[in-house]
């Protein structure tokens, strides 16, 4: 999904969350990569916070210990 907004504020966020839900359901414990065409700045920082929260929630559902 391509957007000019940060990840947590556009419709693609629902798709990202669903993808993580599927990975959690499968017991996936590998690395997930997120690509961004944007340059640094507030939009990227907000997106990074959102993705980190999503991963933290996924880890908690899987019983993972945070590093």
């Amino acid at each position: 999904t391509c957007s000019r907004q940060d990840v947590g504020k556009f419709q693609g966020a629902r798709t990202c969350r669903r993808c993580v839900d599927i990975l959690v359901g499968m017991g996936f414990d590998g690395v997930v990569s997120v690509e961004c065409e944007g340059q640094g700045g507030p939009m990227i920082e907000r997106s990074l916070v959102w993705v980190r929260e999503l991963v933290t929630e996924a880890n908690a559902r899987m019983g993972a210990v945070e590093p």
Side-chain angles (χ1 to χ4, degrees):
T1 303
C2 182
S3 176
R4 299 279 183 226
Q5 297 178 357
D6 46 300
V7 173
K9 295 199 176 195
F10 72 94
Q11 187 174 1
R14 192 175 348 180
T15 302
C16 290
R17 186 173 296 281
R18 180 68 183 128
C19 289
V20 170
D21 288 344
I22 291 168
L23 293 173
V24 167
M26 295 175 57
F28 179 81
D29 67 350
V31 175
V32 175
S33 175
V34 178
E35 290 187 29
C36 178
E37 293 182 14
Q39 298 176 8
M43 183 175 73
I44 301 301
E45 294 301 320
R46 287 189 300 268
S47 296
L48 183 57
V49 167
W50 186 84
V51 169
R52 284 180 175 158
E53 289 172 357
L54 184 63
V55 169
T56 297
E57 291 170 10
N59 284 337
R61 287 187 285 158
M62 291 181 65
V65 176
E66 291 292 317

